[in-house]
Amino acid sequence: MNFIDGEILYIDKPLGWTSFDAVKRLRGALSRRLGNKKIKVGHAGTLDPLATGVMILCTGRATKRIEELQSGVKEYVATIALGATTPSFDLETEIDATYPTDHITRELVEEVLARFTGRIEQIPPAFSACKVDGVRAYKLARKGSDVELKPKVLVIDEMELLQFAPTEIVVRVVCSKGTYIRALARDIGEALGSGGHLSALRRTRVGDVTADKCLSVQQAAELVKCVTLEFPADYPYAAAALPPMSSSDN
């Protein structure tokens, strides 16, 4: 594999890891193997720490393809807790209000989900990486500042109800780049008259890349250790990345 000219790896991001944690782990493994601390590694699409699933990592010159790769359609399986809201629209913050759920039926949920299929406008969460006057919104929100974000136009291709209970639903969502599933959980809860927040999230697909094609972060790091390396002709660190010659090689 030629990590300098560029490789694309599919990772199943674990719960609790930031997207940067996954990038940092792979970059560290590559730096040690290649003898080069300046190796480029980037990801095609942020995934929240409380989410798991498909993440595409690019190395070397393949980082130029990040914009192309992250524009692919995304698929998620989202668990939405009904009857309560949180400021972050997920489990990052504590519940700030509760609401009745006795009126919620499967039929009502199906009807509401249908309203969110197609072209919609969505206001991103205050706890997001969107910038306000050059500052990430989540940094302002965590300081208690009021954050006002403009609505964005998105496309929801599919919404499928996988599991139903009056206090919790599981939904499969196929959507365009830039969709915040946390904000979708907020909006669905509001439309149901019960409030809601995201309690679990798994990204199952990015473009044609599905979760079954992904390596764990540990497997990716092990791959870097043992795979046969190739180098561009002008790569100055090749000798440091090659195993030392044994006495039988002389």
Side-chain angles (χ1 to χ4, degrees), residues 17-237:
W17 284 49
T18 66
S19 299
F20 180 71
D21 288 337
V23 169
K24 184 179 178 181
R25 178 67 182 276
L26 183 62
R27 184 188 291 125
L30 283 170
S31 295
R32 289 187 292 273
R33 180 73 195 277
L34 299 175
N36 176 9
K37 294 183 179 180
K38 297 182 179 179
I39 178 71
K40 288 184 178 180
V41 181
H43 65 81
T46 301
L47 198 54
D48 288 342
L50 295 178
T52 66
V54 179
M55 173 169 280
I56 300 177
L57 300 184
C58 302
T59 77
R61 294 171 185 135
T63 54
K64 295 178 181 179
R65 295 188 58 195
I66 283 177
E67 187 65 29
E68 165 203 342
L69 293 168
Q70 69 183 10
S71 65
V73 169
K74 314 291 193 305
E75 181 183 70
Y76 298 89
V77 173
T79 303
I80 302 173
L82 302 175
T85 57
T86 71
S88 60
F89 312 149
D90 64 5
L91 298 179
E92 181 181 342
T93 54
E94 298 293 326
I95 290 172
D96 60 359
T98 58
Y99 304 88
T101 60
D102 294 345
H103 64 287
I104 297 178
T105 62
R106 174 180 285 271
E107 291 73 24
L108 177 60
V109 172
E110 296 276 13
E111 177 191 330
V112 165
L113 293 183
R115 297 182 209 167
F116 289 93
T117 304
R119 190 179 180 88
I120 67 168
E121 284 194 349
Q122 182 186 81
I123 299 174
F127 287 78
S128 70
C130 293
K131 288 188 176 181
V132 179
D133 297 328
V135 180
R136 298 291 185 186
Y138 67 82
K139 292 184 178 181
L140 298 172
R142 285 170 183 162
K143 291 179 180 179
S145 301
D146 290 331
V147 178
E148 290 189 14
L149 296 171
K150 296 180 180 179
K152 295 183 177 181
V153 176
L154 307 167
V155 177
I156 306 294
D157 295 301
E158 296 179 47
M159 291 272 282
E160 179 186 4
L161 181 61
L162 300 179
Q163 296 178 34
F164 166 78
T167 57
E168 182 180 271
I169 57 175
V170 179
V171 181
R172 184 179 70 89
V173 183
V174 180
C175 56
S176 64
K177 170 189 172 184
T179 303
Y180 283 94
I181 306 300
R182 287 179 289 137
L184 196 59
R186 167 203 62 196
D187 295 340
I188 289 170
E190 184 176 314
L192 287 169
S194 66
H197 62 278
L198 194 65
S199 58
L201 182 66
R202 181 161 178 78
R203 186 156 68 191
T204 52
R205 178 164 65 92
V206 176
D208 294 328
V209 180
T210 50
D212 61 317
K213 298 177 181 177
C214 293
L215 301 172
S216 69
V217 175
Q218 181 62 33
Q219 287 172 330
E222 291 297 324
L223 175 67
V224 169
K225 288 182 183 178
C226 65
V227 73
T228 301
L229 298 179
E230 299 176 10
F231 302 97
D234 59 349
Y235 186 63
Y237 304 96

